[in-house]
Amino acid sequence: MATTDNGVVSQTESSEYLVHPEDPVPKESGIIATEVGEDAEMVEAKQNGASPDELENSTDAALAETEVVNEQELKYWKAVKENPADFTSWTYLLQFVEQENKLSSARQAFEAFFKRYPYCYGYWKKFADMERKNGNIDRAKEVFEGAISAIPLSVDLWVHYLNFASQTTKGQIDGPELMRSLFERAVSSAGEEFRADKLWDAYIEWEKSQGQLQRVTALYDRVFKVPTQNYSQHFEKFKQHINSNPIAAVLCTEELLKLRAEVAAAPPGLTSADAEPLISVSPTSTNPPGDEDADEVAPGTETAPGTESAMTTHDDAETVAIREKVIAARQKVFNVLEEEIRKRWTFEESIKRPYFHVKPLERVQLKNWREYLDFELSNGDHRRAVILFERCVIACALYEDFWQRFASYMEGHSIEKCRHVYERACTIHLPRKPTIHLAWAAFEEEQGNAAKASEILAELDKVVPGIIMVKLKRINLERRRKNFDVVSSLYEEAINETSDQELATFFSIRYSRFLAKVMGNVDKARTTLKAALEKDKDNKRLYLQLLDLELGTYPVNEKRVEEVFELVKESESDTEIKQGFSQRRVEFLEDFSLDIASIMAAQENHAKLYKGKSALVPLTGRKRSQEGDGSDVKSKVAKSEEVVADSSQQVTSTPITGAEAYDTSYSSAAAAYSASMSAYSYAAPSQSQWAAYSSYNAAHPNAYNNYSQWYQQYGAAYGHAHQQ
């Protein structure tokens, strides 16, 4: 490390935020690790097969208008246009435009790249350096501003920006104020990052170079309240600062007067006897356990010109006592800081990759982040929790559970900041992850912004088509908004756009329910189901839904119900399905028909066709019990319920006709029919089944091709009583 003319500490090109020291540089990438380590590692990750499938699947119109004259450049542009989520193709394109030094192409390439990978610190620096080398100082500053807006916690990026600013403001009258303002922005944004020592050191050394020793003391007071990696070195430097400079130069007037009064009031002979002895100013390397990396020493530790290297030996007793009190007071603050760092040290030591990378994180790393967040949240310090979340979503940018947790936490503190977290997650880092988008849409609707929720779901449905849950969420959102025309359009779109007949049937059934129960349009509901039956003639659920539709009308239209039973009878459905509907036909006529002849005919037809077959309700020829205790009726009701619950149970029926059939226990038949219709009309998937359904869709974005598995599960819940 070296200090520039303006006192800003220079930064080596290799960054702890960007490169792991054990990762080799791929020779074919042409990127030098010591220049920007992140580039080499990311290229290596992509060559090893890692790819972020969450990234956007579209390119900006500006890319299509890029002026290129080199065939190789055309080749690279074609690759990123065809697959914008291919990180390796982007690295080759950026490397090429940088080597060619073509600003027009480079600007479009870098800007398009940052829309997908804004956390890539190394490429921001490359872009800014390219503008600066071409004499575009204002454009370089714009690049740096965009960079720190995208990654405000990047300590290295701030240091590079400060170095750039120190060069461009040199000689300006307001240069020092501009630099101090930028330093303040830097420590306010990234100063609480655990590895922010170099930033604080740079600020302190710059103030020393300006001769502002009281400001230096104030900076040390601030850093003693921030847990950082090299916290002990800060304290040693502070003691050196106090002991090697005139006491009036390092303390503000108010503190100096207060300490002089305390020293003057102290009993003679006790001015410094009980105080901590003055500490040697020789540099120490005391670090928390396990910190043996020489490269981690904070930059900018050189003593500023004009300061003394050792404490003067001519200080009077008052000055010695004041120095001891100053150090003792800070020692108490330092002890509190040391305890806080001790609590966090294990978590921090376990973070091996604090920077963004497309390569998946190891499970142990993810586990450490989750446990660290648990600890910080339990601590109750909001600012530290937010800082840790921001650090976490840099390293874990491609993991939606961290973003969701961040958003949920922020929702309890700031609606706007919560919305900002969702926007960053969904529009930049996870454009193809459905769960986080669904959560964002629900959040917006809950905040009364249903139009935004609709926009979010529509965009997700466009980017990742074919997810059933997304389509249903869109439909139900519009239903709640009472946009019934939109609901109908979405249902019809879902039915027509799929080649999967089971899926089309599923949406047809739901559409018919909406038409009948919400719109009150029974005719259109009936038409929808019959249209679905033309394409899926043997689907039992369609017949059941059509039967339910007709039974749900008031008054019940016997003719239309009979038409449904006739459709089943004439279909090519399995014999067991026809048998079940035949039995229900008997039950329906017994309950609703005014024509005894129709009832008798249905019973005789059922007995004739399905003699010896199983039935939902056993049609036995026994007479009513002659006992008055009702035990026979109770047993029949229990038996009927058992049969309804298990339609596969085999019961041998004895054919009966005429008055004997009519004399069959009415209570038994009524109970069985009631149980059957109740299960048929109102059974719905349980919460656990819906949860399984949701998880399945989230895990299988291509749900159109995998729908049949879930449909079978749903069908079991939808109508267990009428599977047969």
Side-chain angles (χ1 to χ4, degrees):
M1 299 293 175
T3 306
T4 64
D5 294 339
N6 283 7
V8 179
V9 180
S10 63
Q11 170 73 15
T12 57
E13 302 297 328
S14 179
S15 169
E16 64 180 337
Y17 281 80
L18 305 171
V19 65
H20 194 284
E22 298 179 357
D23 288 347
V25 181
K27 296 181 179 179
E28 57 270 33
S29 71
I31 300 174
I32 302 174
T34 56
E35 180 175 354
V36 182
E38 181 187 31
D39 304 348
E41 187 171 359
M42 286 187 174
V43 172
E44 180 193 10
K46 293 301 296 180
Q47 290 171 345
N48 288 338
S51 62
D53 60 357
E54 302 84 1
L55 301 172
E56 295 181 15
N57 194 27
S58 62
T59 58
D60 300 320
L63 294 180
E65 300 173 359
T66 303
E67 296 180 3
V68 292
V69 295
N70 186 291
E71 291 185 2
Q72 188 69 15
E73 186 176 349
L74 279 172
K75 176 182 175 182
Y76 290 137
W77 273 114
K78 180 180 179 182
V80 298
K81 288 178 184 179
E82 291 178 350
N83 186 9
D86 186 352
F87 188 87
T88 302
S89 296
W90 283 106
T91 60
Y92 291 153
L93 171 63
L94 297 179
Q95 179 184 346
F96 181 82
V97 296
E98 183 186 14
Q99 291 173 347
E100 293 292 309
N101 198 30
K102 296 171 59 176
L103 280 178
S104 60
S105 295
R107 286 169 181 166
Q108 289 187 356
F110 276 106
E111 289 170 3
F113 172 79
F114 289 136
K115 290 180 180 179
R116 294 166 174 81
Y117 299 96
Y119 283 162
C120 290
Y121 145 81
Y123 289 102
W124 283 108
K125 181 181 179 296
K126 277 177 173 286
F127 189 19
D129 288 346
M130 190 174 185
E131 292 285 6
R132 179 180 58 80
K133 290 175 183 177
N134 282 274
N136 301 316
I137 302 302
D138 290 340
R139 290 295 293 266
K141 182 179 178 181
E142 290 177 6
V143 172
F144 274 120
E145 287 292 338
I148 60 176
S149 176
I151 335 173
L153 279 177
S154 176
V155 174
D156 294 277
L157 196 54
W158 275 109
V159 171
H160 284 301
Y161 189 12
L162 290 164
N163 285 329
F164 167 81
S166 70
Q167 297 170 11
T168 56
T169 60
K170 187 185 301 183
Q172 296 182 15
I173 296 177
D174 60 347
E177 288 304 317
L178 292 175
M179 285 300 301
R180 184 172 289 114
S181 174
L182 190 58
F183 268 117
E184 278 298 321
R185 288 177 59 195
V187 295
S188 296
S189 297
E192 294 188 58
E193 220 281 2
F194 192 72
R195 293 166 176 80
D197 302 281
K198 66 184 71 175
L199 191 57
W200 288 103
D201 286 338
Y203 194 2
I204 289 169
E205 291 303 318
W206 183 83
E207 289 290 9
K208 284 183 180 180
S209 72
Q210 302 298 309
Q212 300 291 329
L213 297 184
Q214 290 185 13
R215 289 182 180 273
V216 171
T217 303
L219 286 174
Y220 276 121
D221 285 339
R222 290 168 65 181
V223 80
F224 289 156
K225 297 177 182 178
V226 179
T228 59
Q229 189 173 37
N230 296 328
Y231 70 102
S232 60
Q233 293 183 12
H234 292 305
F235 194 60
E236 295 302 321
K237 291 178 182 179
F238 170 75
K239 288 187 277 191
Q240 178 182 356
H241 167 67
I242 295 297
N243 291 330
S244 61
N245 291 293
I247 196 66
V250 297
L251 296 180
C252 66
T253 303
E254 182 181 356
E255 183 178 7
L256 181 60
L257 292 175
K258 178 183 177 182
L259 291 176
R260 279 179 174 171
E262 291 178 0
V263 170
L270 296 179
T271 303
S272 60
D274 298 327
E276 178 184 342
L278 294 176
I279 307 298
S280 171
V281 298
S282 58
T284 68
S285 58
T286 304
N287 287 320
D291 184 13
E292 300 176 355
D293 189 350
D295 293 336
E296 294 297 328
V297 176
T301 57
E302 297 85 352
T303 303
T307 59
E308 300 178 18
S309 60
M311 182 187 69
T312 176
T313 60
H314 303 291
D315 292 329
D316 55 27
E318 181 189 55
T319 301
V320 171
I322 290 175
R323 283 196 171 111
E324 290 173 349
K325 282 182 171 293
V326 169
I327 293 175
R330 271 65 175 187
Q331 181 73 52
K332 293 179 180 178
V333 177
F334 176 78
N335 291 341
V336 174
L337 174 69
E338 189 171 40
E339 177 61 21
E340 291 298 317
I341 292 176
R342 184 192 64 78
K343 296 175 183 177
R344 295 166 174 79
W345 188 259
T346 301
F347 296 117
E348 292 290 349
E349 194 176 40
S350 299
I351 298 174
K352 306 302 181 184
R353 200 180 83 186
Y355 49 85
F356 171 78
H357 204 306
V358 295
K359 183 163 58 177
L361 275 168
E362 298 175 353
R363 290 185 179 181
V364 66
Q365 291 286 291
L366 297 174
K367 180 175 181 290
N368 183 66
W369 279 113
R370 293 187 178 102
E371 292 177 348
Y372 198 177
L373 287 170
D374 290 341
F375 164 78
E376 205 64 80
L377 292 176
S378 66
N379 238 23
D381 190 315
H382 174 63
R383 179 164 178 78
R384 285 184 178 175
V386 172
I387 291 293
L388 184 60
F389 267 119
E390 290 289 357
R391 293 175 60 196
C392 176
V393 295
I394 291 175
C396 309
L398 303 182
Y399 294 87
E400 61 182 332
D401 60 312
F402 291 103
W403 284 104
Q404 181 60 67
R405 188 174 185 183
F406 190 9
S408 298
Y409 173 76
M410 292 306 298
E411 187 175 0
H413 295 81
S414 170
I415 296 300
E416 284 305 315
K417 290 181 179 179
C418 175
R419 178 175 289 116
H420 183 55
V421 172
Y422 275 124
E423 287 176 351
R424 289 160 56 196
C426 296
T427 62
I428 299 175
H429 304 284
L430 305 169
R432 299 176 63 85
K433 288 287 189 180
T435 303
I436 190 74
H437 284 78
L438 295 178
W440 185 19
F443 164 79
E444 293 292 357
E445 185 181 3
E446 189 177 13
Q447 299 306 316
N449 195 357
K452 181 62 177 178
S454 179
E455 178 185 327
I456 293 167
L457 294 177
E459 181 63 22
L460 177 62
D461 200 14
K462 177 182 177 182
V463 173
V464 192
I467 301 181
I468 300 172
M469 179 59 76
V470 174
K471 186 72 73 177
L472 292 177
K473 289 289 186 181
R474 289 187 67 191
I475 289 170
N476 287 319
L477 171 61
E478 299 303 336
R479 176 185 56 77
R480 290 190 292 272
R481 298 178 69 193
K482 299 188 183 302
N483 292 335
F484 296 149
D485 290 342
V486 177
V487 173
S488 295
S489 298
L490 289 172
Y491 268 126
E492 291 169 5
E493 176 186 295
I495 293 169
N496 296 327
E497 73 181 4
T498 178
S499 58
D500 188 321
Q501 188 56 55
E502 277 192 305
L503 188 56
T505 296
F506 168 77
F507 280 114
S508 295
I509 291 174
R510 294 186 70 95
Y511 186 25
S512 69
R513 290 181 191 168
F514 166 76
L515 290 169
K517 306 298 184 182
V518 179
M519 296 290 290
N521 193 340
V522 177
D523 291 338
K524 190 171 182 180
R526 184 184 297 114
T527 301
T528 299
L529 290 172
K530 288 185 176 180
L533 277 169
E534 291 180 1
K535 299 178 181 179
D536 196 4
K537 296 181 179 180
D538 299 330
N539 194 304
K540 176 179 61 176
R541 294 176 180 84
L542 284 171
Y543 293 113
L544 287 170
Q545 186 63 33
L546 187 57
L547 180 59
D548 182 53
L549 177 68
E550 302 299 353
L551 289 173
T553 60
Y554 178 80
V556 175
N557 190 320
E558 181 180 341
K559 181 179 178 182
R560 289 192 179 279
V561 175
E562 283 282 75
E563 288 177 357
V564 176
F565 288 125
E566 284 297 319
L567 284 174
V568 178
K569 183 178 179 181
E570 295 171 2
S571 70
E572 297 180 0
S573 301
D574 294 341
T575 301
E576 290 184 356
I577 294 176
K578 290 185 176 182
Q579 178 186 357
F581 276 94
S582 177
Q583 178 66 28
R584 290 193 176 95
R585 188 174 196 172
V586 173
E587 296 165 353
F588 166 75
L589 291 173
E590 286 182 341
D591 283 351
F592 294 96
S593 179
L594 300 177
D595 185 1
I596 184 61
S598 298
I599 298 173
M600 302 286 288
Q603 289 181 337
E604 291 177 1
N605 186 58
H606 177 78
K608 184 187 300 181
L609 294 176
Y610 304 110
K611 181 179 180 181
K613 303 288 186 180
S614 64
L616 288 177
V617 180
L619 298 179
T620 60
R622 292 179 295 175
K623 301 287 185 178
R624 288 192 184 93
S625 173
Q626 298 300 317
E627 300 177 9
D629 60 0
S631 60
D632 187 52
V633 173
K634 293 179 181 179
S635 66
K636 289 182 178 180
V637 171
K639 185 64 176 178
S640 299
E641 291 174 347
E642 292 176 3
V643 175
V644 170
D646 184 6
S647 59
S648 64
Q649 181 176 349
Q650 299 297 314
V651 181
T652 303
S653 302
T654 302
I656 54 178
T657 60
E660 184 181 11
Y662 186 76
D663 193 48
T664 301
S665 175
Y666 177 82
S667 297
S668 175
Y673 176 78
S674 176
S676 170
M677 290 298 102
S678 175
Y680 160 66
S681 299
Y682 302 105
S686 66
Q687 290 184 353
S688 62
Q689 288 165 328
W690 272 116
Y693 162 46
S694 177
S695 300
Y696 179 82
N697 276 286
H700 300 79
N702 190 16
Y704 279 172
N705 297 327
N706 299 292
Y707 174 75
S708 59
Q709 297 179 13
W710 179 86
Y711 196 98
Q712 292 174 4
Q713 178 185 356
Y714 175 79
Y718 171 71
H720 180 77
H722 37 72
Q723 289 293 320
Q724 300 297 330

